[in-house]
C-alpha cells in the first residue's frame, strides 16, 4: 500500500470535515441528523440558502472521497490509479442516479417528488461518509490486523443508514404523494439496494 498517497487523500477528507465543523457546524449537524430523522431533514431542506449549498458541495466531495476509500479497501493492492478509477466510478454512479431520478420525475410529471428523492437519497449518503471516516482512518493505518472487523462495522453502519433511507423514501412516496408501492420498491431495489449489495459482495467474496 502506498501509505503516503492515502495519507494525503485521508488528510484532504479530514480537512473538509474540519471546515464543515468549524464554519458550518449547525448545518452539518442538521444534515447528519436529517439522515436519521425526517423532521431534521425537513428543517435542513427549509433552510436552503447559499450556506447550505456550500455544505452540500463540501459533503459531496467528502462522500466521493470516503466512499471511494471504502471500496478500494476490498483490493489487496492499493495504488493511486485504483483510487482514481473507483472515485470516477462512484462519481458516475451518483451522476447517473441524479439524471435518472430527474428523468423519471419529468416522465411522470412529478418534479417535486424527484427533487425530494434526490435530497433524501443524497443526504443519507453524505452523512454516512462523514460517520464512517474515523473507521476508515483505522482501517488504513492501524497496525493491528483487525481490518475485517472494522470493515464489518462500517458495513453494519452503512446498512443502518440504508434502512433509514429506504424508510424515509417509502414514507414520503406513499404518504405524501400517494405513489404506488411497487414503483417505490423498484426504484429502491435498482438504485439504492443493489449498489449496496454489490459493494458488500465485493468484501465478502472478492
Amino acid at each position: 500500500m502506498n501509505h503516503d498517497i492515502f495519507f494525503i487523500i485521508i488528510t484532504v477528507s479530514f480537512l473538509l470535515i474540519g471546515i464543515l465543523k468549524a464554519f458550518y457546524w449547525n448545518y452539518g449537524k442538521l444534515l447528519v441528523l436529517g439522515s436519521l430523522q425526517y423532521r431534521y431533514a425537513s428543517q435542513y431542506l427549509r433552510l436552503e440558502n447559499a450556506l447550505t449549498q456550500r455544505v452540500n458541495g463540501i459533503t459531496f466531495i467528502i462522500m466521493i472521497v470516503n466512499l471511494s476509500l471504502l471500496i478500494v479497501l476490498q483490493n489487496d493492492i492499493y495504488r493511486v490509479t485504483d483510487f482514481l478509477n473507483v472515485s470516477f466510478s462512484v462519481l458516475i454512479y451518483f451522476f447517473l442516479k441524479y439524471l435518472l431520478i430527474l428523468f423519471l420525475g419529468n416522465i411522470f410529471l412529478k418534479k417535486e417528488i424527484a427533487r425530494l428523492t434526490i435530497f433524501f437519497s443524497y443526504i443519507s449518503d453524505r452523512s454516512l461518509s462523514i460517520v464512517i471516516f474515523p473507521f476508515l482512518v483505522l482501517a488504513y493505518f492501524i497496525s493491528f490486523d483487525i481490518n475485517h472487523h472494522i470493515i464489518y462495522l462500517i458495513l453494519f453502519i452503512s446498512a443502518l443508514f440504508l434502512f433509514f433511507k429506504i424508510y424515509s423514501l417509502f414514507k414520503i412516496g406513499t404518504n405524501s404523494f400517494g405513489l404506488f408501492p411497487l414503483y417505490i420498491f423498484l426504484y429502491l431495489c435498482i438504485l439504492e439496494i443493489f449498489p449496496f449489495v454489490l459493494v458488500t459482495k465485493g468484501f465478502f467474496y472478492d
Side-chain angles (χ1 to χ4, degrees), residues 8-203:
I8 293 172
I9 294 170
I10 289 176
T11 300
V12 170
S13 181
F14 178 76
L15 177 63
L16 291 172
I17 293 175
I19 292 173
L20 194 65
K21 186 178 186 301
F23 300 103
Y24 308 102
W25 169 245
N26 290 331
Y27 294 103
K29 182 173 66 174
L30 270 181
L31 184 141
V32 174
L33 292 175
S35 64
L36 302 175
Q37 292 191 34
Y38 178 79
R39 65 188 182 96
Y40 291 113
S42 298
Q43 185 178 347
Y44 183 85
L45 187 60
R46 289 194 300 269
L47 290 173
E48 188 172 359
N49 53 41
L51 292 178
T52 57
Q53 291 300 318
R54 292 176 195 169
V55 171
N56 291 340
I58 293 171
T59 53
F60 184 81
I61 298 173
I62 294 171
M63 176 181 69
I64 298 299
V65 171
N66 288 356
L67 294 184
S68 299
L69 287 170
L70 174 62
I71 295 172
V72 167
L73 271 177
Q74 68 183 272
N75 299 319
D76 294 326
I77 300 175
Y78 302 86
R79 298 185 298 267
V80 179
T81 52
D82 294 327
F83 179 79
L84 292 178
N85 289 335
V86 170
S87 296
F88 182 74
S89 299
V90 172
L91 184 62
I92 290 297
Y93 161 71
F94 283 107
F95 180 68
L96 291 178
K97 182 167 78 167
Y98 174 82
L99 291 181
L100 182 58
I101 293 172
L102 287 182
F103 174 75
L104 292 175
N106 288 326
I107 289 294
F108 294 104
L109 303 178
K110 300 287 187 180
K111 294 183 179 181
E112 182 62 19
I113 296 180
R115 186 177 77 89
L116 289 176
T117 300
I118 292 170
F119 172 77
F120 280 99
S121 177
Y122 280 54
I123 195 175
S124 177
D125 297 329
R126 287 181 287 155
S127 300
L128 172 65
S129 67
I130 295 173
V131 171
I132 66 173
F133 177 73
F135 304 105
L136 288 173
V137 174
L138 291 176
Y140 272 92
F141 297 110
I142 196 168
S143 58
F144 304 109
D145 187 20
I146 58 172
N147 268 19
H148 282 86
H149 300 290
I150 295 174
I151 290 172
Y152 294 154
L153 179 58
I154 291 175
L155 293 177
F156 175 73
I157 295 171
S158 302
L160 289 179
F161 273 82
L162 178 63
F163 171 79
F164 283 108
K165 182 201 295 190
I166 291 173
Y167 174 77
S168 297
L169 291 174
F170 201 89
K171 181 179 178 182
I172 292 169
T174 55
N175 295 349
S176 301
F177 294 97
L179 292 179
F180 189 54
L182 179 60
Y183 296 152
I184 304 174
F185 176 76
L186 290 175
Y187 161 79
L188 292 172
C189 286
I190 296 171
L191 291 181
E192 304 292 351
I193 298 175
F194 177 72
F196 174 77
V197 172
L198 191 64
V199 172
T200 303
K201 180 178 179 291
F203 284 107

